[in-house]
Amino acid sequence: MARRALKLASLAAAASGIYLYGNKYLDPNDFGVVRVGRAIATTAVITYDYLTSLRSVPYGSEEYDFLKSQVHLRSAERLRELCCANRGTFIKVGQHLGALDYLLPEEYTRTLKVLHSQAPQSTRQEIEQVIREDLGKEIKELFISFEDTPLGAASLAQVHKAVLQDGTTVAVKIQHPKVQAQSSKDILLMEVLLLVVKQIFPDFEFMWLVEEAKKNLPLELDFLNEGRNAERVANMLKNFDFLKVPRIYWELSTRRVLLMEFMEGGQISRNLGKLYSEMIFVNGFVHCDPHPGNVLVKKCPVSGKAHIILLDHGLYQVLSESFRMDYCRLWQALIKADMKRVQKYSRRLGAGDLYPLFACMLTARSWESVNRGIDRSPVSASEDVEIRSNAAAYLPQITQLLNNVPRQMLLLLKTNDLLRGIESALHTRASASSFLNMSRCCVRAVSMYQRSKSHSLYRRAQISLTEALSLWQINLYELFLWLKGSQLGNWVTALLSWMHHSTY
């Protein structure tokens, strides 16, 4: 009797499963055993590939380098397939890895970059479910119109254009319904798998990745936190008239639903470097996801100026004062090619004896360029190739360094790489203007810090005078560069040359 009841229950469960799957209420990817099994299998295959493919080949030979590149590529493709299949947290971590240009082998970053365009989309039913659960109303009760096709989809959420009952056009950010429940389990799974891999490859040091995910994912999954960040950065940078941050509709926002002012525009702006220098060096509150989809530009119809629209405020890094000052002084030393201070402040930031590698990672320049001065010459194609080759060759040292530096540095490295990608698209990478903006912010930040620590009126006045002189020197140098590159500068140079020759 019990056996018959068990058989009937099994048949009923199977029939229900088939029915639910056919009606798209149930996805096999949502089963823990499927997700765990897929992750374990992928990790095992990648590990076996590295263990066997390079075993009988002489280290350092051309054949070794060729085979290693092939293993990197195969492993990156398997990792990408795993991320696409398990979605959610896996895609988020894969996107993070794909953004680490010059820190990971090119095979990985090139392959994983596509995850930005392969994020999952929730169905209309799932969207309705989240809004019903969080706001207690149906979509038709809240909006006159609601576009089914999202404006954009990311690993954790997607954004829809809608019109409120009063006629206001808004952007509605809605979290994928299953991400919240799966994220903590996914992170635990990654942590276990990375610990196992480290037992096999002692030089494999990627636990920092899991630690960052454990700390940052809960913040990114709380849209109320994102709304608070948006308001904070809008107030913090209100003096930048080119920056626009969408207004938050708090009465219709929850941890999984965020209603914002609708803004549209094109992508990329030259003022982005100026904006980020202010956030990093002066304020220590840094938007850590500046990929092109989150940074839009719109021309103001009245002034004709380009406005930057900064989106997705879920992930910010708050820099401690001591870290921010060391980071400021390190960049000042890098811009001035002061190697003694580069070594001093790199060590203070946890780089130890690997400070030359750390300087190259921060600037994405070769050690030769760092010694010569990173503002002296643009990045050449051959230097780019050299940097990427070194990223593959020094992977154990890079992972060791990433484990040693303060956790605050990890998101800054990712942010630097994303900004460099945008600068490359604008052809402004390693330009004089970007370094001048950074220099101004560093001078202001260090002066503000010194004044806050001084109790002497005379000393504070002295610091302010030194700051004014330093900023004046930077402005004078900027004027010199402008004259040098202008038609007027060409005329003056030609006149001086003519006068010089006419005296002989």
Side-chain angles (χ1 to χ4, degrees):
M1 187 71 179
R3 187 179 297 176
R4 187 180 176 189
L6 183 62
K7 188 181 290 186
L8 286 171
S10 301
L11 286 170
S16 301
I18 293 168
Y19 172 77
L20 289 170
Y21 178 71
N23 283 273
K24 298 184 179 178
Y25 285 106
L26 190 64
D27 188 334
N29 289 307
D30 297 334
F31 286 116
V33 66
V34 174
R35 297 168 65 80
V36 171
R38 186 186 289 121
I40 292 173
T42 302
T43 305
V45 170
I46 291 174
T47 303
Y48 182 78
D49 199 357
Y50 275 104
L51 281 172
T52 58
S53 298
L54 303 172
R55 186 162 46 194
S56 57
V57 185
Y59 178 81
S61 63
E62 287 187 14
E63 184 185 3
Y64 182 90
D65 290 340
F66 172 78
L67 287 175
K68 183 171 71 172
S69 176
Q70 295 301 303
V71 177
H72 282 337
L73 184 58
R74 286 196 300 270
S75 300
E77 288 172 346
R78 289 166 180 147
L79 193 56
R80 181 191 63 203
E81 289 168 8
L82 170 65
C83 292
C84 289
N86 277 11
R87 300 176 302 191
T89 309
F90 281 82
I91 286 185
K92 190 71 184 176
V93 172
Q95 288 173 342
H96 191 156
L97 290 172
L100 295 177
D101 284 320
Y102 309 104
L103 301 184
L104 295 180
E106 185 189 7
E107 294 87 352
Y108 277 92
T109 56
R110 186 179 69 241
T111 304
L112 295 175
K113 275 187 191 301
V114 302
L115 290 174
H116 279 290
S117 60
Q118 293 187 356
Q121 286 190 17
S122 293
T123 64
R124 172 77 182 206
Q125 286 175 320
E126 290 172 326
I127 293 301
E128 288 175 344
Q129 176 191 339
V130 172
I131 288 179
R132 190 183 304 118
E133 289 175 357
D134 280 41
L135 298 177
K137 291 185 178 180
E138 299 295 332
I139 285 179
K140 62 184 179 183
E141 296 178 74
L142 295 168
F143 308 104
I144 296 173
S145 66
F146 187 94
E147 294 187 2
D148 284 346
T149 304
L151 296 168
S155 55
L156 306 181
Q158 61 194 50
V159 179
H160 292 258
K161 185 178 179 180
V163 179
L164 292 171
Q165 296 292 344
D166 64 1
T168 305
T169 303
V170 293
V172 188
K173 184 173 182 178
I174 304 162
Q175 195 173 113
H176 298 313
K178 297 152 190 169
V179 169
Q180 193 83 243
Q182 292 171 344
S183 61
S184 57
K185 298 169 189 172
D186 287 346
I187 292 171
L188 178 60
L189 173 60
M190 291 179 199
E191 186 172 20
V192 171
L193 291 175
L194 287 176
L195 284 169
V196 171
V197 171
K198 183 166 171 51
Q199 294 301 311
I200 301 169
F201 301 105
D203 289 337
F204 184 85
E205 297 281 0
F206 273 85
M207 292 311 298
W208 58 269
L209 189 63
V210 173
E211 290 168 12
E212 284 301 293
K214 284 165 78 172
K215 182 182 75 175
N216 294 323
L217 262 175
L219 296 174
E220 290 190 80
L221 290 170
D222 181 359
F223 289 176
L224 295 177
N225 174 67
E226 178 175 342
R228 289 190 293 269
N229 285 341
E231 289 194 344
R232 179 177 174 181
V233 80
N235 184 60
M236 189 177 79
L237 302 176
K238 60 187 176 185
N239 293 331
F240 287 148
D241 59 359
F242 59 77
L243 174 65
K244 303 297 174 188
V245 176
R247 171 197 164 196
I248 306 299
Y249 291 82
W250 289 108
E251 66 278 9
L252 292 173
S253 294
T254 68
R255 288 175 63 89
R256 296 193 300 168
V257 179
L258 188 66
L259 248 73
M260 303 165 281
E261 177 185 1
F262 178 76
M263 291 181 170
E264 60 182 344
Q267 294 182 352
I268 316 292
S269 171
R270 288 176 182 268
N271 276 324
L272 191 61
K274 184 177 181 180
L275 184 67
Y276 267 84
S277 290
E278 189 81 13
M279 281 195 276
I280 292 170
F281 298 113
V282 179
N283 295 289
F285 186 65
V286 190
H287 180 286
C288 285
D289 204 9
H291 67 76
N294 288 338
V295 183
L296 308 180
V297 61
K298 183 179 183 180
K299 190 172 183 178
C300 176
V302 179
S303 66
K305 292 181 179 179
H307 286 169
I308 289 178
I309 300 168
L310 195 59
L311 305 175
D312 195 347
H313 298 271
L315 185 57
Y316 272 76
Q317 179 67 68
V318 179
L319 307 180
S320 68
E321 190 174 65
S322 60
F323 175 90
R324 185 166 55 88
M325 286 301 103
D326 286 341
Y327 194 62
C328 276
R329 289 172 171 130
L330 173 57
W331 268 105
Q332 286 180 308
L334 286 166
I335 292 169
K336 293 176 181 176
D338 184 341
M339 289 302 107
K340 285 186 178 179
R341 285 168 66 84
V342 167
Q343 179 177 350
K344 175 184 175 181
Y345 289 108
S346 294
R347 287 182 181 277
R348 286 182 62 158
L349 287 168
D353 292 336
L354 294 173
Y355 70 90
L357 178 61
F358 184 53
C360 294
M361 287 166 62
L362 274 180
T363 59
R365 301 298 300 269
S366 66
W367 182 237
E368 181 186 347
S369 293
V370 171
N371 275 274
R372 189 170 61 242
I374 54 176
D375 62 337
R376 302 292 168 83
S377 58
V379 184
S380 64
S382 59
E383 185 180 1
D384 242 348
V385 171
E386 179 189 346
I387 294 165
R388 291 186 181 279
S389 300
N390 286 340
Y394 291 101
L395 185 57
Q397 290 89 340
I398 289 172
T399 53
Q400 179 189 339
L401 189 56
L402 293 175
N403 262 330
N404 292 341
V405 296
R407 301 297 92 185
Q408 299 167 81
M409 182 61 70
L410 298 177
L411 280 178
L412 279 189
L413 287 168
K414 172 197 170 186
T415 304
N416 284 346
D417 284 333
L418 289 168
L419 287 172
R420 267 193 288 268
I422 292 175
E423 287 175 343
S424 294
L426 286 171
H427 306 291
T428 59
R429 184 172 160 206
S431 67
S433 61
S434 64
F435 290 124
L436 288 171
N437 283 329
M438 289 175 68
S439 296
R440 285 191 186 95
C441 287
C442 287
V443 167
R444 287 170 49 220
V446 171
S447 299
M448 286 167 60
Y449 172 76
Q450 290 174 336
R451 277 194 297 269
S452 71
K453 298 299 179 184
S454 175
H455 301 291
S456 163
L457 184 62
Y458 171 76
R459 176 62 184 146
R460 287 201 294 270
Q462 192 179 38
I463 292 166
S464 296
L465 180 60
T466 304
E467 176 188 11
L469 286 172
S470 297
L471 293 174
W472 180 79
Q473 287 177 327
I474 293 170
N475 292 338
L476 194 62
Y477 182 58
E478 187 172 41
L479 177 62
F480 165 74
L481 290 176
W482 178 80
L483 284 171
K484 187 179 175 183
S486 68
Q487 187 64 45
L488 176 61
N490 292 334
W491 289 341
V492 171
T493 303
L495 177 62
L496 290 173
S497 178
W498 176 81
M499 291 174 65
H500 174 73
H501 286 296
S502 66
T503 57
Y504 289 98

